[in-house]
Amino acid sequence: MFSCSQPSPRYEKSLGTICFVNLYKQGKPAYYNEIFNRIDQINTEFNTYIEAGDLYRINKFACDEEVIVSDDVFTVIEMAQKISALTDGSFDISVKPLVSLWHINTDSPHVATEAEIAELLPLVDFKNILLNPEKKSVRLLKTGMEIDLGGIAKGFAADEIAKICKSHKIHRAVIDLGGNVYVYGKKAKNELWNVGIKNPELPDSAPLIKIITPENSVVTSGLYERFFEQNQKRYHHILSPETGSPVENELTSVSVICHNSMIADALTTSFFVLGKTESLKLLPILQETFNLEISAVFIDKDHHITFSENFPYEYEILYDDWKVEGSN
């Protein structure tokens, strides 16, 4: 229960998840309205099923002609392409045909056959997405290509909400867009924020790790988020652009911590596809390229937790039976 001096935070369903924003004592209805109107705008632009949105128009028409898009959509696709190039295609927004094939997170999931996957894999290649910065246009170079921005759009939305908070001189806010957490500003008494990383085996229970951080975005992708089971096998939503199937490696979740939520969002998928060893090799290059402090936490199936080198934040492990590798 919240007192009169502490306005209630707001929850709304959008972007395919529950969006939560808490502006604490500065939570005026006008501010919340502005934020959730912006979320709805982003949801329309990036939704593959809304005919008024840019993404719908790209997937319907861009194989035949250039499609002019909004600044929002162009910015996100441009960043997605940059991350795809830096991560050797482990993040690839042209994976949409495979997403549609598997139907994960729908009422009718489908275990794709090797033949079905082989037919669609030639359509998955970020290099066949052509951007024209002058026109702000998108062209897909192979007939049948489609794009899906689900692995980066929530991060972009979190950054946009943080901009609104800054424009209104909000002192502190918590933004949670279904696993994309942005802790904005400073807590009372200038204390640091505590952000939990879920236990992949018990996602609805107490978090496995508590990260103690200043203003930051903490984004997590895990096997427990969206999946279905058939014949005692779990098929999760993180698809490999190379194999066309759900990624199979040692990981159960990856968290990325940095000030840019859009970058963090895309990198959680990239790192999951690459695996722990290759991701840790790539991290210094990404930090230098983006001139950002980018840190990562890898949780694997053998109860190992690996923190990226020189992890800059304090943390606590809240369960006893987990082994920590790396240190702060």
Side-chain angles (χ1 to χ4, degrees):
M1 180 176 291
F2 295 87
S3 68
C4 294
S5 62
Q6 177 70 68
S8 298
R10 187 179 292 187
Y11 302 79
E12 286 189 17
K13 189 171 183 179
S14 192
L15 302 172
T17 190
I18 301 298
C19 299
F20 167 88
V21 179
N22 190 352
L23 303 179
Y24 294 90
K25 292 183 179 180
Q26 292 174 280
K28 296 179 181 180
Y31 295 165
Y32 280 122
N33 290 341
E34 182 178 351
I35 286 169
F36 280 92
N37 286 340
R38 183 70 172 114
I39 291 173
D40 288 342
Q41 178 188 12
I42 292 168
N43 182 64
T44 297
E45 290 176 324
F46 291 83
N47 194 306
T48 57
Y49 301 105
I50 297 178
E51 293 187 18
D54 284 351
L55 206 57
Y56 178 91
R57 294 189 304 106
I58 289 171
N59 289 341
K60 189 170 181 63
F61 302 115
C63 291
D64 300 315
E65 61 188 41
E66 288 182 307
V67 173
I68 309 297
V69 298
S70 68
D71 288 346
D72 287 348
V73 171
F74 193 88
T75 295
V76 173
I77 294 177
E78 193 171 45
M79 177 59 76
Q81 292 293 83
K82 185 172 185 177
I83 291 173
S84 294
L86 288 166
T87 62
D88 197 25
S90 61
F91 181 78
D92 193 326
I93 60 173
S94 68
V95 77
K96 177 66 166 61
L98 292 170
V99 173
S100 298
L101 173 64
W102 282 89
H103 277 243
I104 298 171
N105 204 37
T106 73
D107 294 332
S108 56
H110 168 66
V111 178
T113 67
E114 290 185 9
E116 289 172 329
I117 293 170
E119 184 178 353
L120 295 179
L121 272 179
L123 300 177
V124 180
D125 188 345
F126 70 94
K127 295 174 184 176
N128 289 325
I129 301 171
L130 185 65
L131 301 181
N132 186 323
E134 293 182 2
K135 294 183 179 180
K136 295 288 175 70
S137 68
V138 181
R139 180 74 194 274
L140 305 179
L141 299 182
K142 275 196 173 183
T143 300
M145 284 186 71
E146 292 183 298
I147 65 175
D148 186 331
L149 295 172
I152 192 170
K154 288 191 295 182
F156 172 74
D159 290 332
E160 291 299 294
I161 296 169
K163 289 179 184 177
I164 292 172
C165 291
K166 186 174 182 180
S167 72
H168 293 297
K169 297 182 172 55
I170 302 293
H171 298 314
R172 64 188 64 90
V174 172
I175 302 155
D176 187 346
L177 308 180
N180 288 58
V181 176
Y182 198 120
V183 283
Y184 174 87
K186 294 182 178 180
K187 292 176 69 176
K189 300 180 182 178
N190 287 332
E191 294 177 354
L192 298 178
W193 296 97
N194 297 322
V195 180
I197 294 176
K198 289 185 176 183
N199 182 337
E201 297 176 358
L202 299 167
D204 297 323
S205 300
L208 172 60
I209 307 167
K210 181 172 71 174
I211 303 292
I212 303 164
T213 175
E215 179 176 322
N216 240 328
S217 180
V218 182
V219 183
T220 300
S221 288
L223 302 188
Y224 55 85
E225 293 174 320
R226 296 186 293 280
F227 64 90
F228 71 96
E229 294 182 347
Q230 185 170 312
N231 297 328
Q232 298 182 324
K233 181 171 181 178
R234 176 176 292 194
Y235 299 90
H236 61 81
H237 73 292
I238 304 172
L239 302 180
S240 165
E242 182 177 1
T243 68
S245 296
V247 174
E248 294 189 28
N249 58 23
E250 77 279 17
L251 296 171
T252 55
S253 85
V254 177
S255 298
V256 174
I257 305 156
C258 79
H259 204 68
N260 185 304
S261 193
M262 177 167 56
I263 291 173
D265 197 3
L267 288 182
T268 59
T269 301
S270 301
F271 288 173
F272 211 110
V273 172
L274 286 170
K276 178 170 58 178
T277 301
E278 293 304 312
S279 299
L280 289 170
K281 290 179 185 176
L282 183 60
L283 200 49
I285 298 170
L286 296 168
Q287 289 175 324
E288 183 176 355
T289 301
F290 291 112
N291 193 27
L292 274 175
E293 178 70 64
I294 305 174
S295 304
V297 183
F298 302 86
I299 300 175
D300 69 31
K301 297 170 183 175
D302 293 328
H303 279 210
H304 288 159
I305 303 169
T306 303
F307 292 86
S308 54
E309 188 175 1
N310 300 317
F311 192 77
Y313 312 109
E314 293 184 18
Y315 59 83
E316 293 181 27
I317 309 300
L318 304 179
Y319 290 73
D320 294 330
D321 56 339
W322 293 77
K323 181 180 179 182
V324 176
E325 300 175 356
S327 68
N328 56 343

